Amino acid sequence: MARTSLRDRRIAPAAMRTGRFTIWIAVVVGLTAAAACSAPFLTSPLEEGAAPTPTARLEVPTPAPEPNVLVVCLAEEPDSFFPFGPRNASARTLLPLLYDGPIDALGYQYSPVLLERLPSIEAGDIRFEPVRILSGDLYFNPDTGLPEEFRPGKSYLPSGCTSMDCRRRYEGGGAELDRLVVDFHLLPGLRWSDGAELTAADSVFAYRVESDPATTSVKDQVNRTSAYEAVDSTTVRWTGIPGFVDPEYAGNFWSPLPEHLLAEIPVGDLSQSEIAARTPIGWGPFQIDSWDPGMAVDFVRNPNYAGASEGLSGYEGVHVRFLEERGDAALQQILTGECDVLEESLVGFESIATLQSLADQGRLRWASAPGPVIERLDFNTAPVDGRPGFFVDSEVRRAVAACLDRGSTIAEIVGGLSPIPSTYLPANHPLVLPDIAEIDHDPAGAADQLAALGWIDDDGDSATPRRSQGARGVPGGTVFEATLATAEDEFHVALATRLAADLEECGIGVRVEGLSAESLYDVWPDGAVFGRGFDFVLWPWLHWMSPACDVFTTAEIPSSVNPQGSNASGYSEAAFDAACQEVSLGPLAGPTYPPAVGSTQTRLMDALPSLPVLQWPRILVYGRDVCGPEMDSTVQSLLWNIEAWYGGEACSG
C-alpha cells in the first residue's frame, strides 16, 4: 500500500504515489472534486428502448477501429505516466496497460504480479535484525508514528518487543532496537517492452529517483527506509529504520523504472521528459503505439509481456478516446459502439436505474463493487468555540444515529449499491467484526431515548426542534438545531439533505452547510472541520489495507500544538488509543493483532464519535461484446486485469 500521512489522507490529490508501487487512493479533496464533476445527477436519463443517437458534439461518427481493438473512453486526456507526483484519474486508469502490478491490491489484500511470491516469515523473506543506535540517530517513534531523532525521554520498542506494553523511555547511551528486513524476489526472465532485461536494479533506480529532493512526491516511505538495494539481478532488499515494524511490509517494493533509458536524464527533468511522462515503456500487456494530443492514444500488444506466451491478451490493441460528455451522453456512446468501456467517472450513481434497464435489454453490461471509501457522519464531541455541546453524550449520539434510515438513504443516493457499514472499516474488509452490534433505524425508540436524555418535545409537534431540559452539555432551554457541514458539491449536499430529513423527523433541526474544500479542510484553527466549527460533518475517508483507527486517537485531535491533527470529532479514550497502537504494528505484532483490531471497532461503535453511512460504489460500464472484466473494491484501476479481456464471437457466444 502506498503510505500517506494522516493529513495527506484528507487533503492530498485524489491519487498519490508515496514509494513502491502506484495504487488508487481516494482522499477528501479529490473525492469532493470527483463528486462535483464526475458523478453528475442525470437530468434526462435514456428512455427505455429509445433508439441511440450520435452525441451532439460529433459532426461525423468516430470511425470504428480495426477488429479486435478495445475502445476505452476517458473523461480527460492523461496528463502524465511519471510515477511520482500527481496524475489525473485518466492516467491512473490506463496504468495496467503499461504496468501489470507489480503488486495488485485485491479485496484489501496484496497479490503478487511481478514477484514470485509475497514476502513472508515462513519463506525466510522477512526477519528482524537487532541494531544499536545512539542519541541523534534516526528511528521510528511508536508514540507519534513518525521517524524522529532518538533523544532522551522518547519512547521506543527495544529489540524483541512487538507490543506497546513493553516499550521503554530512552535515558541516554546506546539502545538496541530491531529493524525490519524484507526480501522481494522478482520473477525470472522479465523484460521491458523494448526487449531490455528488467532487473532488481530497475527497482532500486526507482527508489533513488523518488529519494532525490528534485522529485516531487510524498516521501513517507522513503523516510522510513534505511536501505533499498539489489542483492542480485532478481532480489531486492528493503531495510526499515530502527523500530519501524511496518504493518504493510509486503508493499515496500518500488515499481521499476527503466534505468537503461532514464539514467542519463537529470532527476529534476524526468517528470517533464517525453520518455518518462508521455511515452514510457513498461512490462504490461500493451505499449504505447501513438499519441495524437487532444484526440486519442493507441496501444498495441507488448510482444515481451511475460504473459504473452499464455495467450492472455484477447485484444490486439486498445484505442483510447477522450469524452466531454458524461452521464446519458457517455452511455449513448456505449450503445452506438463508439466506446467499449467507460472510465468510472463518466457515469454517476444516479444512472444506476438506467444502467440496469439497458443491461436487462441486453444493450450493455455493467458491474459494481463497494469501494474502500466510507462516507462518515462525524459528531463534534468536544466543541471549542462556545457552540452548544449537542453531542458530548455518547447516548445522545446513539439515539441520533437510530433516527437515520441508512438503508433507504443508500437506495436513494447510490442505487442500493452499498452495504450498510457496521464499523469504521468497510463492510467487505476481511478484518471487520462479523457479529458487532449494529445501530438499527428506530425513530420511535430514538425519540423516547432523546426525551429520557433531556431533549424534550415541549410543544408536541415533531416538526419543531426539541429543547433541552437537563440535557448534558447544554444550558436548559437550548433548541436542538445543529449545523451539518459538508462539501458544496451536488452529491454531498443531496446526501446531507437526505440525512437531515430523517433527523428532523426525530425533532432535531438541521441546517446543511455546503462549503468549499478549502473552507472545510484547512488546518486548525481556520477550517470548519479541523477547527471544530461544526456540529456534524459529512465527509469521505479512505480505508485501505491496514485499519485506519489512528484518525480517532487522542494524539490526532487538532489543537494549537497539533494543527494538522485528523481527529476532528475530539473523541478521546485511553483504551481505544492503546488498542489502536497495537493495530499500528500490524500482523507482525502476532496474536495480539486481531483482538486489537476488534477492540478498536467495538469501542468506536460503543462511543460512536462517527457513524459510517455508506461506501462509495465503483461502477464499470462496458459493451455487450466485451468479456473478462472483474470487479474488485481495492484495485487502482478497473482495467486491472485487462490482459484477460476479450471480445468478438468468443464473448457473445
Side-chain angles (χ1 to χ4, degrees):
M1 169 186 136
R3 196 92 40 194
T4 59
S5 66
L6 296 180
R7 175 173 167 77
D8 294 327
R9 291 178 194 168
R10 67 178 188 256
I11 65 168
M16 186 172 289
R17 156 85 185 192
T18 61
R20 299 126 26 208
F21 59 97
T22 309
I23 61 168
W24 179 86
I25 181 169
V27 286
V28 169
V29 167
L31 285 170
T32 52
C37 67
S38 64
F41 281 61
L42 296 184
T43 55
S44 55
L46 295 175
E47 297 180 5
E48 293 186 22
T53 58
T55 53
R57 77 179 181 91
L58 297 176
E59 296 180 3
V60 179
T62 302
E66 293 297 320
N68 212 26
V69 173
L70 182 75
V71 182
V72 174
C73 290
L74 304 179
E76 58 185 330
E77 187 169 9
D79 55 352
S80 174
F81 291 114
F82 186 63
F84 308 116
R87 285 170 297 189
N88 65 19
S90 292
R92 295 191 298 276
T93 295
L94 297 178
L95 290 178
L97 279 69
L98 297 170
Y99 314 109
D100 190 6
I103 301 174
D104 282 339
L106 300 172
Y108 300 94
Q109 299 183 34
Y110 290 123
S111 178
V113 177
L114 211 60
L115 306 176
E116 287 186 339
R117 59 182 180 269
L118 287 181
S120 69
I121 294 176
E122 295 75 16
D125 305 320
I126 301 173
R127 58 192 177 278
F128 290 98
E129 293 181 348
V131 58
R132 187 171 179 81
I133 66 172
L134 301 172
S135 181
D137 289 343
L138 185 67
Y139 90 115
F140 187 79
N141 187 330
D143 284 344
T144 64
L146 295 170
E148 297 178 4
E149 288 187 357
F150 199 43
R151 297 295 184 190
K154 290 194 173 183
S155 176
Y156 72 100
L157 302 182
S159 180
C161 171
T162 58
S163 168
M164 299 300 290
D165 293 337
C166 53
R167 71 185 185 276
R168 297 178 185 172
R169 295 288 173 185
Y170 177 52
E171 297 179 354
E176 191 170 83
L177 284 70
D178 286 330
R179 63 182 181 187
L180 186 62
V181 180
V182 183
D183 288 342
F184 298 91
H185 300 279
L186 288 164
L187 291 167
L190 293 172
R191 294 195 173 276
W192 293 98
S193 57
D194 66 355
E197 186 180 7
L198 190 159
T199 71
D202 292 310
S203 179
V204 174
F205 174 68
Y207 164 73
R208 294 203 308 269
V209 168
E210 187 178 14
S211 300
D212 195 296
T215 299
T216 302
S217 69
V218 178
K219 300 187 186 297
D220 282 7
Q221 194 60 11
V222 168
N223 295 335
R224 290 162 172 78
T225 298
S226 177
Y228 193 75
E229 55 197 336
V231 177
D232 55 42
S233 63
T234 60
T235 305
V236 180
R237 177 167 297 161
W238 175 87
T239 303
I241 62 175
F244 182 37
V245 184
D246 191 353
E248 294 176 356
Y249 54 84
N252 293 335
F253 177 79
W254 264 263
S255 188
L257 286 174
E259 185 176 19
H260 67 287
L261 294 181
L262 305 181
E264 300 303 318
I265 301 175
V267 171
D269 296 339
L270 280 174
S271 65
Q272 303 301 317
S273 67
E274 185 77 7
I275 188 61
R278 298 283 291 180
T279 57
I281 65 169
W283 60 83
F286 296 95
Q287 59 186 359
I288 295 175
D289 182 55
S290 63
W291 192 324
D292 185 2
M295 296 298 294
V297 184
D298 283 292
F299 294 78
V300 296
R301 277 183 176 174
N302 171 15
N304 294 298
Y305 176 52
S309 61
E310 303 173 23
L312 292 177
S313 180
Y315 287 100
E316 296 288 343
V318 176
H319 178 70
V320 178
R321 297 178 53 224
F322 321 128
L323 300 184
E324 295 178 0
E325 303 88 348
R326 286 174 166 81
D328 53 351
L331 288 177
Q332 283 192 4
Q333 299 219 5
I334 289 284
L335 302 181
T336 60
E338 295 171 82
C339 300
D340 291 322
V341 59
L342 298 179
E343 183 182 349
E344 285 184 82
S345 62
L346 286 171
V347 180
F349 301 147
E350 298 72 30
S351 61
I352 292 169
T354 302
L355 284 173
Q356 187 59 62
S357 175
L358 293 172
D360 290 344
Q361 298 172 44
R363 301 174 70 191
L364 55 72
R365 299 181 183 186
W366 71 289
S368 71
V373 175
I374 290 184
E375 199 72 37
R376 287 182 358 206
L377 181 67
D378 283 13
F379 301 92
N380 190 343
T381 70
V384 295
D385 58 357
R387 67 178 54 242
F390 293 122
F391 305 118
V392 298
D393 188 336
S394 63
E395 291 303 313
V396 170
R397 299 193 293 267
R398 296 186 66 81
V400 169
C403 295
L404 298 174
D405 187 351
R406 289 181 287 168
S408 294
T409 298
I410 288 169
E412 179 180 324
I413 300 296
V414 294
L417 295 182
S418 167
I420 299 176
S422 58
T423 81
Y424 72 95
L425 292 178
N428 49 339
H429 194 290
L431 291 172
V432 73
L433 286 180
D435 55 355
I436 195 166
E438 299 185 13
I439 299 175
D440 296 323
H441 178 225
D442 182 12
D448 291 343
Q449 181 69 358
L450 286 169
L453 293 167
W455 287 105
I456 308 302
D457 181 5
D458 59 352
D459 62 2
D461 184 356
S462 61
T464 59
R466 296 171 178 271
R467 291 181 181 272
S468 65
Q469 276 187 19
R472 179 185 165 201
V474 294
T478 300
V479 179
F480 205 154
E481 290 182 322
T483 299
L484 173 50
T486 194
E488 63 186 352
D489 62 84
E490 194 170 2
F491 170 81
H492 279 95
V493 170
L495 178 55
T497 301
R498 177 65 178 78
L499 298 176
D502 283 348
L503 294 171
E504 287 167 355
E505 290 184 4
C506 277
I508 301 170
V510 178
R511 182 172 67 89
V512 173
E513 187 174 42
L515 301 173
S516 67
E518 293 75 15
S519 297
L520 268 179
Y521 305 125
D522 201 358
V523 298
W524 168 281
D526 299 321
V529 176
F530 299 105
R532 294 216 289 283
F534 67 94
D535 298 317
F536 318 84
V537 61
L538 178 71
W539 55 340
W541 276 82
L542 173 74
H543 290 265
W544 201 240
M545 306 301 192
S546 294
C549 59
D550 44 1
V551 300
F552 296 106
T553 57
T554 303
E556 283 299 322
I557 295 176
S559 66
S560 57
V561 296
N562 184 28
Q564 294 191 13
S566 297
N567 181 2
S569 73
Y571 164 68
S572 177
E573 183 189 354
F576 176 85
D577 293 345
C580 189
Q581 285 181 323
E582 292 293 331
V583 172
S584 70
L585 300 176
L588 292 174
T592 64
Y593 179 61
V597 176
S599 178
T600 62
Q601 294 175 71
T602 55
R603 290 186 179 280
L604 206 61
M605 291 308 294
D606 286 344
L608 208 70
S610 174
L611 179 72
V613 176
L614 58 81
Q615 290 178 238
W616 281 47
R618 307 186 69 182
I619 300 173
L620 179 66
V621 181
Y622 51 102
R624 61 186 179 181
D625 295 326
V626 177
C627 288
E630 293 184 16
M631 290 295 299
D632 189 271
S633 295
T634 50
V635 291
Q636 172 195 349
S637 165
L638 295 184
L639 305 183
W640 69 276
N641 69 327
I642 186 71
E643 70 278 2
W645 292 25
Y646 61 97
E649 294 182 3
C651 174
S652 58

